[in-house]
Amino acid sequence: MDLPGYYEYHCSVKIIAGHDALERIPGILRDLHARRPMIVTDKGVAGAGLVNIVLGAIKDQLTIGAVADDVPPDSDLRVVNRLAALYREQNCDALIAVGGGSVMDTAKGINIVVSENADDLMKFSGAGALKRPLKPLVAVPTTAGTGSEVTLVAVVKDHERHLKMAFVSYFLLPDVSILDSRMTLSLPAAITAATGMDALTHAVEAYYGLSKNPLSDATALAAIRLISGNLVKVTRNPADREARLAMANAAALAGMAFSNSMVGMVHTLGHATGSVCGVPHGVCMAILLPYGLEYNRHKREAVMGELLFPMGGADVFAGTPREQRTDRVIAYVRQINQDLHDASGGRHARFFKEVLDREGKPAVPRERLTDIARTALGDGSIFYNPEELDYDDFLMVLDAAWEGVALDPGRIKT
Amino acid sequence: MLQKQSSYSFYSPTKVLSGNKALENLPVELDGMNAVKPFIMTTPGLSVRGMEKVMAAAFADSDLTIGVFAGVPPRPDLKLVRELYGLYHDNGYDAIIALGGGPVLDAAKALNIAVSGRPEDLESLTAGNPLTKKLRPLAAVLNLDLSGCEMTRYATLGPLSLTSSALIPDLMIIDPRTVPAEERNIVAAAALMSMTQAVEACLHPSRNPLTDAYAYGAARFIMENTLNVIRNSSDRKGRLALVNAAFFAQTASDNLAPGMVYELGMAISRSCQIKPGLIMGLLLPHFLLLEMKMETTARNDLYLFVGGPEAFAGTMAEVSSRKAVDRIVEVLLELQSLVPDFPRSIRDLGIKKEDLEGLVAPGSAAGVKGEYDPRDIRNILEKAWETRF
């Protein structure tokens, strides 16, 4: 195991996992001296009956101050301010965020407003602006992928001023994250597949990236092992509670890994594809991950080869000569995509040309790839990628990922 | 790694800063917690070795005002904490930096309880009342002279045992300048203590993916660095890896429960002058051999932790745990040949065979706290008493 010359690692979130972890919420909030939490969630989560499961687990042990179940997928400052006002009106003293990335970001934004009595959230944007603990925040993720239940960033948009404010602070980390298998049991196969590949990408990019450290390594390896053993299984059989819990664990572990070591070109291109074509993040991650491995392999061959152990298990690892391990790792990731494609009845896209929008039309027209490549140039995540990429490199990768063919090794920078 | 997926909780609030110029980043971290006037605590020994000067130099470019108390004794008590409480308040300090392991962190954790509330809160906590106030920022600047509970919920103050997750330091700094080369027995004791914590975490029935991840990191660093650090006093990176390993092992252990070997090592060390880590090293192989007899499938991956993926994958499953024990015994024997006065058995510590029974009774003053089968404890102690490695 390698020790870098310098590293930092931090994840102060208490993790509570299990098939009945939600039942621990009243005790947790009591320990945090909170009596009247507000639940923040969205219509989809509430409609799937998940808020009722949370309420059922809390029973009458706590008074719920308010349930705000209308966080939109594209939340913004107005929503944050409106819900902060509700929090105050109802005399709440803690937040329970039940949902995915947008709900978590909104809850973190509300927490800044109500804890700092902020009338202008902007004052607290950027790193280091928050200096003291906020109100207790309990995160209950309802997908197993983003890892936002263990990350310290919140992005809140201001649609009126066309601004995107990023808040970065350890005080934004949830106090507790609840990983309960019931929260993901009803997730459809294609979303299970894409969000699971998002988690796999976090772990793999963290492991071969330039600012890895022993703890990001250990958490990444654990996440990859859990995903390899459970993602295809749970996509085939969505009701598998053990596999659901394993994936919830994996997503949190991968979140710890990447938030302490950064990500690379797979995220760079994924962000750009998401913003140009509106493709869900997990879908982009699944398609691009094999290309991140191929493009960087000449810089990180040995490190990538180590991934065969958690992916393929001891026998495959031992039976594969060292110089062939990275090939096997890349083939393995492509095979997972294929298996997920089959298990989801073809809904899990393997290449960009397979991605469809809501109306069933191609979501990533080939002629948009140049726009995506241009957008990628402005994304900071490329800084931690092992090999450099310019516009032509981005376009080459996008072309291959659109078509679904391997990169031509002769065209990769050396 | 095979394991059962079950309910668990895991908590490690500490921010790690490890490596070159880590100390220089401490002022910014403290500022982020609204602290600008930290109180540095250390031992006379570390002060003589120039450690507080290293700290002061590292903070030279910051706006920190620091105060230093360099008189932490080997066994801090309530009287000391009351004295430091006065000092802390009179001078308006707002954070604590513990420079050095063991007693420094015991005293720092206790002081933190007192200054964050009232000194009476110390007795209140030992009486079972939980802490109600958020404690002041606490930074631990660790070296290799460790007690095994620096980064845990636990602190010992004379006869008082303090337990609260609020005691876990907020920050841990591992900087090459404050991790000097130590005598061989100190390094060996630290490594064997961490190894014991990591192995017992890996074999714990309630192990979870996070305790596994931390125990794995600890075991890998210990196996890859211990002998080299002892042989070669210029292996700075190896020393840092061993301090990292201690943190990982303590964190894994703290999220489960102290194991039998750890508790026995602590209990025996109270009756002799030998470092508990060395005693744990003598007990660990016997414990593992006993475990192997009761082996379940979930336990077959110990060799992954001890030997690494390459060795583990290249070994047949049925001999894998035997290999793990062999590797640990190899390291132990090598350490015994390198470290002067390393005892060869429990008997060498001056313990009489009839004294062993006092350690067996669960909950007895001399014995272990956890619930174990007394026959297992007796078995291990007798083997470690009779067998000379």
Side-chain angles (χ1 to χ4, degrees):
Chain A
M1 189 162 254
D2 192 43
L3 180 66
Y6 180 75
Y7 84 93
E8 294 182 2
Y9 182 95
H10 191 205
C11 180
S12 59
V13 182
K14 181 170 190 171
I15 303 292
I16 299 201
H19 299 302
D20 49 8
L22 290 166
E23 272 73 3
R24 302 268 305 271
I25 291 177
I28 290 160
L29 287 174
R30 252 195 313 275
D31 290 348
L32 294 165
H33 311 294
R35 284 174 193 84
R36 210 176 145 83
M38 173 162 106
I39 294 181
V40 181
T41 187
D42 63 36
K43 288 266 185 273
V45 169
L50 301 182
V51 174
N52 284 337
I53 297 176
V54 175
L55 292 172
I58 293 172
K59 295 203 187 83
D60 49 3
Q61 299 178 65
L62 272 178
T63 309
I64 303 296
V67 178
D69 64 0
D70 56 353
V71 174
D74 192 20
S75 180
D76 73 352
L77 187 58
R78 276 199 321 212
V79 178
V80 168
N81 283 330
R82 178 168 57 79
L83 296 184
L86 178 66
Y87 178 103
R88 286 173 175 145
E89 273 162 35
Q90 298 301 324
N91 293 314
C92 298
D93 57 8
L95 292 153
I96 303 175
V98 186
S102 180
V103 167
M104 296 292 164
D105 280 350
T106 304
K108 288 171 182 172
I110 297 169
N111 206 0
I112 300 173
V113 176
V114 299
S115 303
E116 292 286 350
N117 262 326
D119 40 23
D120 183 8
L121 207 50
M122 196 64 162
K123 271 191 246 163
F124 296 92
S125 69
L130 292 165
K131 298 240 173 185
R132 55 186 176 188
L134 306 181
K135 299 288 179 192
L137 169 61
V138 174
V140 184
T142 55
T143 61
T146 65
S148 55
E149 66 274 17
V150 293
T151 59
L152 45 80
V153 184
V155 178
V156 178
K157 287 180 190 158
D158 181 345
H159 283 126
E160 282 163 17
R161 288 190 284 175
H162 304 286
L163 281 175
K164 211 171 162 182
M165 296 176 278
F167 302 87
V168 186
S169 167
Y170 289 116
F171 296 119
L172 287 174
L173 282 166
D175 295 280
V176 179
S177 282
I178 308 280
L179 312 177
D180 190 305
S181 55
R182 287 170 288 179
M183 292 293 98
T184 51
L185 268 184
S186 57
L187 215 55
I191 298 178
T192 301
T195 49
M197 288 303 287
D198 186 17
L200 182 65
T201 306
H202 289 153
V204 170
E205 283 208 285
Y207 196 79
Y208 76 65
L210 291 179
S211 61
K212 76 207 299 275
N213 65 64
L215 285 171
S216 73
D217 282 354
T219 45
L221 290 172
I224 294 167
R225 184 180 51 81
L226 287 169
I227 294 164
S228 304
N230 293 283
L231 179 55
V232 173
K233 196 167 151 192
V234 77
T235 306
R236 284 189 187 131
N237 177 15
D240 185 336
R241 295 165 73 233
E242 294 300 329
R244 286 291 186 194
L245 186 56
M247 285 305 300
N249 273 312
L253 284 158
M256 293 174 196
F258 90 86
S259 60
N260 282 286
S261 73
M262 312 314 282
V263 286
M265 65 177 275
V266 178
H267 273 79
T268 317
L269 282 168
H271 296 155
T273 311
S275 90
V276 173
C277 300
V279 180
H281 182 66
V283 174
C284 299
M285 297 297 100
I287 292 170
L288 289 162
L289 180 56
Y291 298 97
L293 289 158
E294 282 183 334
Y295 190 84
N296 291 302
R297 71 175 295 173
H298 61 286
K299 294 256 167 162
R300 307 295 274 169
E301 182 87 36
V303 168
M304 285 178 185
E306 292 167 11
L307 295 175
L308 189 58
F309 184 81
M311 282 182 182
D315 293 340
V316 171
F317 185 73
T320 308
R322 217 174 272 256
E323 63 279 9
Q324 290 171 24
R325 284 180 182 160
T326 301
D327 286 321
R328 288 290 295 267
V329 166
I330 296 167
Y332 187 86
V333 174
R334 290 210 160 97
Q335 188 60 47
I336 298 185
N337 271 331
Q338 182 61 48
D339 291 345
L340 293 173
H341 181 78
D342 298 340
S344 64
R347 281 189 296 272
H348 178 75
R350 296 159 298 175
F351 332 117
F352 280 130
K353 68 178 174 189
E354 285 185 346
V355 183
L356 302 176
D357 63 16
R358 291 212 176 112
E359 287 147 26
K361 293 194 197 111
V364 189
R366 194 160 201 167
E367 57 274 18
R368 299 302 300 276
L369 297 184
T370 50
D371 292 342
I372 298 172
R374 224 169 285 125
T375 307
L377 286 172
D379 193 291
S381 56
I382 198 60
F383 185 76
Y384 297 95
N385 195 62
E387 180 58 277
E388 290 179 9
L389 289 97
D390 57 24
Y391 172 82
D392 291 334
D393 301 318
F394 279 129
L395 196 57
M396 169 188 72
V397 172
L398 286 166
D399 264 324
W402 192 88
E403 195 63 55
V405 295
L407 290 180
D408 173 0
R411 292 182 61 199
I412 298 171
K413 278 195 170 74
T414 48
Chain B
M1 282 181 253
L2 289 165
Q3 80 211 349
K4 194 167 155 272
Q5 282 297 325
S6 57
S7 302
Y8 71 86
S9 64
F10 181 91
Y11 182 53
S12 173
T14 308
K15 179 168 185 181
V16 181
L17 293 82
S18 166
N20 298 323
K21 298 211 174 240
L23 278 171
E24 272 79 350
N25 290 323
L26 184 51
V28 177
E29 296 296 335
L30 289 174
D31 182 61
M33 293 188 277
N34 253 349
V36 290
K37 196 171 176 188
F39 179 56
I40 301 178
M41 301 168 59
T42 191
T43 63
L46 286 169
S47 178
V48 168
R49 290 168 81 181
M51 292 302 144
E52 70 183 69
K53 290 208 185 83
V54 168
M55 300 261 291
F59 297 162
D61 291 339
S62 76
D63 293 331
L64 289 188
T65 311
I66 55 172
V68 181
F69 174 80
V72 178
R75 293 189 202 289
D77 56 15
L78 207 51
K79 193 168 153 281
L80 174 81
V81 174
R82 286 189 184 277
E83 189 184 313
L84 296 179
Y85 173 82
L87 209 56
Y88 185 100
H89 267 301
D90 294 348
N91 290 287
Y93 296 116
D94 55 14
I96 301 170
I97 300 175
L99 170 59
V104 181
L105 267 147
D106 283 328
K109 288 172 180 174
L111 176 63
N112 203 7
I113 296 172
V115 299
S116 305
R118 303 163 308 154
E120 291 76 27
D121 291 349
L122 283 165
E123 283 97 339
S124 165
L125 179 63
T126 55
N129 303 311
L131 298 171
T132 52
K133 292 223 171 86
K134 172 96 184 78
L135 300 193
R136 296 302 311 162
L138 170 60
V141 183
L142 293 188
N143 57 34
L144 271 170
D145 195 357
L146 298 166
S147 71
C149 47
E150 285 81 3
M151 305 308 294
T152 69
R153 289 170 284 168
Y154 301 107
T156 309
L157 195 68
L160 300 182
S161 285
L162 307 167
T163 309
S164 167
S165 58
L167 298 182
I168 301 172
D170 302 285
L171 296 162
M172 176 182 68
I173 286 84
I174 304 176
D175 186 300
R177 290 162 294 175
T178 42
V179 186
E182 301 283 355
E183 284 179 24
R184 291 178 166 195
N185 69 327
I186 290 175
V187 178
L192 288 168
M193 164 106 64
S194 306
M195 193 66 197
T196 300
Q197 289 171 321
V199 166
E200 292 198 304
C202 165
L203 297 175
H204 197 283
S206 305
R207 62 192 288 196
N208 65 59
L210 276 156
T211 59
D212 272 358
Y214 279 75
Y216 179 77
R220 298 308 314 125
F221 270 160
I222 294 159
M223 296 306 284
E224 287 166 4
N225 294 285
T226 303
L227 293 175
N228 210 31
V229 166
I230 288 186
R231 289 198 189 102
N232 179 0
S233 63
S234 65
D235 183 4
R236 296 201 323 171
K237 196 170 173 178
R239 289 203 295 273
L240 297 197
L242 289 184
V243 184
N244 268 279
F247 167 63
F248 303 164
Q250 289 184 15
T251 301
S253 171
D254 199 30
N255 276 281
L256 296 163
M260 188 204 290
V261 175
Y262 178 85
E263 287 211 57
L264 283 174
M266 286 300 192
I268 294 173
S269 75
R270 284 192 278 271
S271 64
C272 61
Q273 293 302 310
I274 298 292
K275 287 192 161 285
L278 302 183
I279 303 171
M280 291 174 201
L282 294 174
L283 298 171
L284 190 58
H286 300 295
F287 167 76
L288 290 172
L289 290 169
L290 183 75
E291 280 284 307
M292 277 171 59
K293 286 191 191 136
M294 310 187 288
E295 188 170 293
T296 63
T297 48
R299 294 182 173 170
N300 274 328
D301 62 353
L302 180 61
Y303 192 41
L304 172 61
F305 289 62
V306 172
E310 206 75 59
F312 174 76
T315 303
M316 308 252 283
E318 51 274 33
V319 293
S320 163
S321 45
R322 177 80 223 186
K323 282 270 216 181
V325 182
D326 289 350
R327 275 296 287 137
I328 289 173
V329 171
E330 269 170 45
V331 171
L332 178 65
L333 292 175
E334 191 72 28
L335 285 173
Q336 287 183 322
S337 74
L338 288 167
V339 177
D341 303 325
F342 197 130
R344 303 278 151 153
S345 72
I346 302 296
R347 189 182 200 163
D348 289 359
L349 305 175
I351 290 180
K352 298 198 186 69
K353 194 159 187 183
E354 53 269 30
D355 296 341
L356 298 181
E357 204 53 34
L359 295 160
V360 176
S364 71
V368 299
K369 287 190 228 82
E371 288 178 14
Y372 309 102
D373 188 336
R375 283 168 301 181
D376 292 344
I377 301 182
R378 188 177 295 119
N379 186 328
I380 290 167
L381 286 172
E382 284 177 358
K383 291 241 163 59
W385 193 83
E386 283 157 10
T387 319
R388 299 191 88 230
F389 277 107

